[in-house]
Every structure is written in structure tokens, then in C-alpha cells.
Amino acid sequence: MGIVVQKYGGSSVADATSVKRVAQRIVATKKAGHDVVVVVSAMGDTTDDLIDLANEVSPLPPARELDMLLTAGERISMAVLAMAIGNLGAQARSFTGSQAGVITDAEHGRAKIIDVTPGRIEVALAEGSIAIVAGFQGVSQTTKDITTLGRGGSDTTAVALAAALKADVCEIYTDVDGIFTADPRIVHDARHVPQISYEETLEMAANGAKILHLRCVEYARRNDIPIHVRSSFSDRPGTWVLPADQVTKDPTMEAAIISGVAHDRSEAKITVVGVPDKVGYAAAILRALGDAQINIDMIVQNVSAAATALTDISFTLPRADGQTAMTALARLKDEVGFERLQYDDGVGKVSIVGAGMRSAPGITATFFQALADAGVNIAMISTSEIRISVVVAENQVEQAVRAAHEAFDLGTDEVEAVVYGGTGR
Ligand code: ASP
Ligand code: MG
């Protein structure tokens, strides 16, 4: 039988008891005849604790040293897991990202994988070992420094290794039984999704669903790696993420046009008030943000008031970039001649996602009516072919998610969702 890559998130290896439980599952997979490669995250909240520690000794820790520090978290879990497996009588060997051949660019804190050369993993497998790889880290091709892939990056490590090793499947173990029609922490009757396309999963991940790292899904789609998202706390079947033409829709959800509702509270909204409605001004504003390396999400430009020929431009961006964006825009004030800037971080985004909406009219109306009935005001709107997103007040996000879920009849009678861990990874 072929190679199986299994990734265990921090909540699955939070303490010694969990590590032993996971070790059992890994050994069982090996005994079933597979070659097993395991990717682990840092135990529990280790990564956050290490970030806090860094901030205690330095307000702005150098990115190189921060990466060196954070990768220690995954080193602990890989070694401890290898020991636990050894204790069960199976052979296991742990490898850092660098030893496993995960080659990245030199962007500390958000490095991209540019190549994977897993020679040592192949040797370990050929010798009958289980290979344990530290997630979320690699080594820069140019500087030879240790890098990290960004928060939640272990999913991406797992898929990248699965692609390089031509594995049959990449199993992502987390603390819920796969993907649900909404976050079960908010919607108690959220329905389990047995299979879903890469495209829909990408939209969900890009719009706040925390189940999979966005880049992991992109990588899987590009390399045709089936992802099986499962709980390490149960033996339930989980969710398969697959090419669209291989997805069989749940027969009980025949009429479902919407696959799920995602929400995101990590964004803020900036409004540039009183921009002269002239050619090139929107470009100047967006250029300033681009130069500051800020990824903006939704943009709305109102029609200019006839009397003043002034307009407002609003956009959303990661809250973490709020300060940088405001500073960059303030510098443009004289050049562009706008009136003022408004910053609002009390916003959230709610999105409905579903490939079926391509061919179904009236979806937007149903969604907006549900929000209206729930008393939720819409501040901004954006759409893709298979997604409709709205920005609402942050304290109305949960209401909005529940209203949308209900309006598209996504709920189930039996409560299906069990949240086993605490952190959602
Ligand atoms: N330990 C890292 C984090 O917490 C990477 C991961 O969990 O995937 O972000
Ligand atoms: Mg983690």
C-alpha cells in the first residue's frame, strides 16, 4: 500500500496523554500496511506562548530570531511523538523541516515553499521507520536560515510533503470531525460535510473558516492531493476535499446550493472620506497600500455627490495591518487632497459559499432578507462566482451566521458536531 501523510494539529498533541493517543493511531496506520509520514504542530498553545516570551524581551523581535524560536515548538512535539511511538514497539525518526528537505524563500514569518527534497524521509521509510516531520518550518535556499511558513502553516507542510512523496492521501487531524456547514461553536446544528471541492474550501478558508490553512488548499489543488480532514479524537469519517468533478453531494442535501457559511473577525475597515472624483486617485491610494505590503480585501467606492464631486473609498484589510495602512495613507493626504481617514475595527465578515450558486438565481436576495429579518445591517458587499460576503458590525457576526445558515436550510435535526479540543486547530 502507498504512502499516507498525517498531520496532527496542536490540540491533538497538547499533552503527554494526547501524544500517546496519537501515537497509537499512527502505529495502527503503519500496521495496516502503509508507509507513514507524520507532520506535527507545536503542542497546544506553545507557539503563542513563545511569541509572548519573545515580546517580553523585545518589543520588535528580529524576524530571523523569532523564526528560530518558534520552530523550537514543533521540534519538541516531533521528538516527543517519536519517543511515544518507539515505546509502542514501532520505529520512528524525527526530522526538522530543513532535514526533511522543505526549502523556502527567505521571507521570515511567511516563507513560501519553493522546493521539497525529501531524500532522508524516503530513506527512513525504506528502512521501515515512521517519519515524523516538524510542521510550519523550512530552510531558506539563499540565506540558509531557518524560516516559518506563517501561523497554521503545518497543514501546508503536510500537503507539500504529500505532493513530493506522491502520497495517496494527506490526512489533516484536528479537534472537530471535519468540515461543517458553519462553525459548530456558533451554530449548534451545523451539518457535517462529507465531501467538498477545493474551490469551495479555498473560499471558506480565505473567508475566515479556520479548518484548513489557505495555502495548504491551494497547494493541494495544484498538485491534485486529496485531503481528508478528520478528528484525532474520534473514528468518524471526516471530510474529503477533492477536485470538483469527484465530489458526490450528500444525497440528503440534494437541493443544497450553499455548502457553508464562513465568518471572519480578523479584519478592519478604513474609509478615505472626501476623495476628489478624478482619474488616478483610487490608484494612488491603492498603490500606497500595495507598497506597504498590505493585502486589502473588499473595496467600495461610492458615486460622488454631484454638488461636491467628492467620493468616499472604503476597504477592508487585516486588523494587524491597520496601523501601517493608516500611516501610509496619512502621507498621501496633501497629494490626493482627501478630507480625512476613518478606522473601524468593530467589523466582521460573513460569507456564504457554494458552487451551486453559479446557476441559482435569488441567492443574494435570500441571504440579504435573512440578514434583514435578523436586524443585521450590511456595511459592504463583495462576491465571487461561488461566494457572497458581507461586512457587518462585529457584535452581529454570530446572529448573521445563524440567520444565513437557517435561511439556506443547512441545519440538521441531530446534532452532529462535537468539538473535542479547545483551540480549533
Ligand atoms: N504551531 C504553528 C502555529 O500555531 C503552526 C501550526 O500550528 O500549524 O501557528
Ligand atoms: Mg498551532
Side-chain angles (χ1 to χ4, degrees), residues 176-182 184 190-193 204 239 259-260 416-418:
V176 288
D177 292 302
I179 297 178
F180 286 80
T181 47
R191 185 187 291 256
H192 176 252
V193 179
M204 303 272 280
T239 299
S259 299
E416 296 179 350
V418 185

Side-chain angles (χ1 to χ4, degrees), residues 7-11 39-48 51 70 73-74 77 135-137 148-157 213 425:
K7 179 261 175 176
Y8 292 92
S11 59
V39 173
V40 265
S41 290
M43 297 170 74
D45 296 328
T46 303
T47 308
D48 292 298
I51 292 173
L70 296 189
E74 270 70 12
S77 36
F136 147 83
Q137 55 180 269
T148 64
L149 310 181
R151 296 306 306 270
S154 301
D155 294 352
T156 303
T157 304
H213 198 228
R425 288 210 68 83

Side-chain angles (χ1 to χ4, degrees), residues 13-198:
V13 291
D15 51 26
T17 313
S18 322
V19 170
K20 287 198 252 180
R21 185 173 42 78
V22 162
Q24 302 259 10
R25 191 183 273 271
I26 295 167
V27 172
T29 311
K30 172 78 182 157
K31 284 205 175 127
H34 299 282
D35 280 338
V36 188
V37 177
V38 176
V39 173
V40 265
S41 290
M43 297 170 74
D45 296 328
T46 303
T47 308
D48 292 298
D49 296 344
L50 292 173
I51 292 173
D52 290 346
L53 174 63
N55 288 328
E56 269 178 55
V57 296
S58 160
L60 266 184
R64 178 188 185 276
E65 303 310 325
L66 190 60
D67 274 0
M68 204 60 121
L69 177 69
L70 296 189
T71 52
E74 270 70 12
R75 261 193 195 227
I76 295 173
S77 36
M78 73 180 192
V80 172
L81 184 56
M83 292 173 196
I85 292 172
N87 193 48
L88 296 175
Q91 258 188 78
R93 219 177 296 163
S94 65
F95 298 91
T96 64
S98 163
Q99 290 174 325
V102 180
I103 316 287
T104 71
D105 62 18
E107 290 287 321
H108 287 290
R110 50 163 181 220
K112 288 211 176 58
I113 297 177
I114 50 184
D115 197 10
V116 182
T117 51
R120 295 190 64 183
I121 305 297
E122 283 161 343
V123 170
L125 294 179
E127 290 172 3
S129 269
I130 294 164
I132 318 283
V133 180
F136 147 83
Q137 55 180 269
V139 61
S140 154
Q141 191 169 47
T142 48
T143 64
K144 309 294 175 208
D145 280 328
I146 299 300
T147 53
T148 64
L149 310 181
R151 296 306 306 270
S154 301
D155 294 352
T156 303
T157 304
V159 168
L161 275 170
L165 293 164
K166 304 201 167 29
D168 293 339
V169 56
C170 181
E171 298 181 339
I172 305 271
Y173 285 93
T174 177
D175 56 6
V176 288
D177 292 302
I179 297 178
F180 286 80
T181 47
D183 184 342
R185 291 168 182 82
I186 295 183
V187 180
H188 299 294
D189 66 346
R191 185 187 291 256
H192 176 252
V193 179
Q195 300 189 350
I196 185 168
S197 66
Y198 292 128

